Amino acid sequence: MSAQRATLVVLFGIGATCAGQPLDRAPIDPEQVAPFVFVDATGERGIVPTYPAPGGMTVGVCAIDFDDDGFVDIFLPTRAGSPHLLYHNQGDGHFVEVAEQLGIDTLNQARTALWFDADGDARLDLLLLGDCFDSSDPQCVSLSTAEFYRQTDTGQFVLATDLAGLTNEFLATSGMHRGGVAAGDLNGDGMLDLAFGTWAEEARVHINNGDGSFRDESLACGIGGETGGHWQPVMHDFNNDGLLDIYWAIDFRENHLWLNVGDGTFMDDAAAAGADIAFNDMGLSLQDFDNDGDADIYITEIFNRKLGRHNPLLLNNTTGGLVAFADVGEAAGVSNTSWGWGTTGGDFDLDGLVDLAATNGFFNGPYITDRSRMFRQVQSNELRFADVTATSGFGDTVHGGGLVSFDMDRDGDLDALQVSPLGIVRLLENRCAKQSCDSNWLVIQPRRQGANSFGIGATIRVTADGRTMTRFILAGDSSLSQHPMEAHFGLGDALSVQSLRIEWPDGTVSDYADVAANQVLRIP
């Protein structure tokens, strides 16, 4: 499609505001003051402490627009006997809990969840995954730890686990800790498939039958059958062949980069690509950190100087179809977040550079007072970050779990949401727009009729003031968590973008020109 003047759905627009060793090399200007400050707004926004699944390792959180009204909502999975929490955004960043009212009334345990359009009806459905890890309830193993809710045309949710084919033994019961889950169109039929794992057990792949039901193809596709500490998967086309691949963070063993062969099978290319990290890999953030147009990967770990274990930042050096990564985590100044869990990348100060946050800690030992970390990307001749934890208001000592970022109040800057296995929830408001920043922004919500209606797997690029920035639409990342299906861009001083391109998962491309800043645009 040739470039055209954008005829898009403008959801919201406001005024422009906000703007050999060692392994943990000191970042540029360690005294740098963050141009943004996060303030804990949890209670005043209507969010209360939760009762997460027991076990002490990690739990997930979802930031999703479940009713597609343009405002990002929040979902928190909980332990057995405690209602799951679906917080509906009232349009101003204040939330009202509506789960039971809308039919999500199960009291079975869940540790992670995923929202995706399973049947192509343009409504987000809900998959809940739990476990019996470290549970003191002898009846836990008899309870369903996988449940699927389909959203109806009235906005209500109906339990449809059996109809969806999500009742096999692996899904129904699990004594081991659940890992993360991700969705994407793995076989090119337009319908969304699933990849999920369990810590110390197998990875699984379920393929959509075309009607919102699933079949287990784990062994047939070459991914299943291997026992390992499968934490978070993320789906992306890493070798640019039009097929979604899967990168998987794995505890204690080498990470896998499953390249999609195209015949229903996958091959592990992690070693050849330089992505076979073999530390204690936990969470993943997929971002174009260096603004060169491709997907880089940040991974949280348990830092250990003696063993050489640190958080890698895998810079993507792929050429053609030859996938290649180089670890620049140490040189970039983001290698040490102690015992890491959730992580999120985003342009928190709207200067056109992707910043990085991580939450961490554990319930005992030397990690109990670990601080969450905030790294601001700084302009230099190489990819570098300054640790602005101390001045950003982000450095809590809560035992971290899931972490996501999103614009909760549509003021243009990214806020953050963190959940702890201890039940603590922190909704952090970015006060950039209310203090010293004076920058512009743009949010793109890709939407299509039919299958994959929320554009999962799409790549979105904008060019402003000669700089091109790239974002990726995912379903499942961080640590057992999920970001909203939209792309947020900081634009600095630019009042418009010269070009906007959406590369859809089916290979088609949409181009637009002269798009005004400071608005939320839905496409088409």
Side-chain angles (χ1 to χ4, degrees):
M1 178 187 292
S2 59
Q4 54 187 325
R5 188 160 189 88
T7 54
L8 311 175
V9 179
V10 180
L11 296 183
F12 315 105
I14 68 173
T17 53
C18 185
Q21 331 267 316
L23 288 174
D24 54 343
R25 175 181 172 186
I28 291 175
D29 187 7
E31 302 300 321
Q32 184 178 122
V33 176
F36 46 82
V37 176
F38 288 92
V39 176
D40 192 329
T42 311
E44 69 181 70
R45 297 286 182 164
I47 308 298
V48 301
T50 184
Y51 299 94
M57 288 215 277
T58 190
V59 293
V61 61
C62 300
I64 38 79
D65 182 4
F66 79 88
D67 57 351
D68 204 26
D69 66 352
F71 298 98
V72 181
D73 312 301
I74 295 170
F75 182 77
L76 297 169
T78 61
R79 69 176 61 190
S82 179
H84 302 296
L85 302 173
L86 176 57
Y87 287 102
H88 183 235
N89 194 325
Q90 301 300 289
D92 58 359
H94 290 81
F95 298 85
V96 173
E97 206 286 309
V98 297
E100 186 174 6
Q101 171 187 329
L102 296 182
I104 305 172
D105 55 1
T106 179
L107 294 179
N108 289 340
Q109 179 169 293
R111 188 180 299 277
T112 183
L114 190 75
W115 294 77
F116 67 108
D117 182 4
D119 52 4
D121 65 355
R123 291 184 287 271
L124 290 179
D125 309 304
L126 170 63
L127 175 64
L128 296 170
L129 292 173
D131 57 54
C132 296
F133 181 74
D134 206 26
S135 174
S136 59
D137 181 4
Q139 302 301 315
C140 181
V141 293
S142 66
L143 301 175
S144 174
T145 54
E147 293 180 298
F148 178 76
Y149 282 87
R150 194 175 302 283
Q151 186 174 175
T152 70
D153 58 4
T154 65
Q156 292 291 120
F157 290 84
V158 177
L159 189 63
T161 312
D162 291 345
L163 291 175
L166 296 171
T167 56
N168 64 50
E169 183 178 357
F170 179 85
L171 279 165
T173 60
S174 176
M176 269 298 163
H177 198 297
R178 287 287 184 193
V181 57
D185 180 12
L186 294 175
N187 58 3
D189 66 353
M191 303 298 290
L192 296 176
D193 311 302
L194 296 169
F196 51 88
T198 302
W199 183 73
E201 290 186 359
E202 294 182 43
R204 292 281 169 148
V205 173
H206 280 46
I207 299 299
N208 198 315
N209 291 316
D211 59 359
S213 67
F214 297 85
R215 64 184 185 275
D216 188 342
E217 293 286 337
S218 307
L219 292 176
C221 76
I223 292 179
E226 179 183 286
T227 299
H230 290 90
W231 281 125
Q232 184 63 46
V234 65
M235 295 188 186
H236 178 72
D237 179 10
F238 288 101
N239 60 351
N240 305 310
D241 64 354
L243 301 170
L244 283 187
D245 312 304
I246 306 173
Y247 187 73
W248 216 306
I250 301 177
D251 204 354
F252 300 114
R253 301 182 56 187
E254 296 86 355
N255 291 349
H256 289 309
L257 173 57
W258 295 108
L259 294 185
N260 195 332
V261 177
D263 59 359
T265 65
F266 294 78
M267 58 173 287
D268 184 12
D269 192 54
D276 57 335
I277 309 301
F279 304 154
N280 297 105
D281 303 67
M282 308 294 191
L284 298 174
S285 181
L286 192 78
Q287 303 286 339
D288 181 14
F289 287 103
D290 55 354
N291 279 344
D292 69 348
D294 52 27
D296 312 306
I297 307 172
Y298 183 70
I299 310 170
T300 55
E301 310 277 356
I302 302 174
F303 183 82
N304 187 309
R305 181 188 302 277
K306 183 177 180 180
L307 296 178
R309 296 180 177 177
H310 62 282
N311 291 5
L313 197 167
L314 298 181
L315 205 61
N316 195 328
N317 295 320
T318 297
T319 303
L322 185 63
V323 185
F325 290 94
D327 178 13
V328 298
E330 176 191 351
V334 293
S335 63
N336 184 3
T337 59
S338 197
W339 190 312
W341 288 111
T343 180
T344 183
D347 187 354
F348 293 110
D349 54 1
L350 306 181
D351 65 352
L353 302 174
V354 178
D355 310 305
L356 186 60
T359 187
N360 48 34
F362 206 55
F363 60 85
N364 60 19
Y367 307 99
I368 198 168
T369 58
D370 278 0
R371 288 196 174 277
S372 296
R373 305 291 288 276
M374 174 63 68
F375 301 99
R376 178 180 182 248
Q377 190 177 163
V378 295
Q379 286 277 15
S380 67
N381 294 327
E382 57 182 340
L383 185 65
R384 294 295 303 278
F385 294 80
D387 187 338
V388 294
T389 302
T391 58
S392 66
F394 195 78
D396 64 84
T397 57
V398 174
H399 172 189
L403 174 66
V404 294
S405 56
F406 63 102
D407 182 5
M408 69 174 175
D409 46 10
R410 293 306 186 199
D411 66 352
D413 55 28
L414 288 174
D415 310 296
L417 177 65
Q418 172 190 354
V419 63
S420 166
L422 303 179
I424 300 169
V425 181
R426 300 186 78 225
L427 181 60
L428 301 170
E429 181 186 356
N430 187 339
R431 293 286 174 88
C432 181
K434 300 168 182 61
Q435 293 190 4
S436 60
C437 297
D438 186 22
S439 296
N440 304 302
W441 54 273
L442 181 66
V443 172
I444 304 298
Q445 295 180 333
R447 300 291 186 265
R448 273 192 161 182
Q449 297 296 316
N452 198 2
S453 52
F454 289 81
I456 294 172
T459 296
I460 301 179
R461 309 182 194 276
V462 302
T463 299
D465 283 347
R467 171 190 285 167
T468 299
M469 294 160 283
T470 305
R471 304 288 187 266
F472 311 101
I473 305 299
L474 308 174
D477 63 342
S478 184
S479 176
L480 282 66
S481 295
Q482 182 175 10
H483 283 81
M485 295 148 194
E486 61 184 39
H488 173 276
F489 297 90
L491 301 179
D493 295 330
L495 293 173
S496 65
V497 300
Q498 287 79 51
S499 65
L500 161 65
R501 165 166 287 200
I502 302 180
E503 299 168 6
W504 299 96
D506 63 4
T508 59
V509 174
S510 299
D511 285 316
Y512 304 90
D514 301 323
V515 179
N518 304 314
Q519 57 184 313
V520 178
L521 298 182
R522 179 166 298 182
I523 301 172

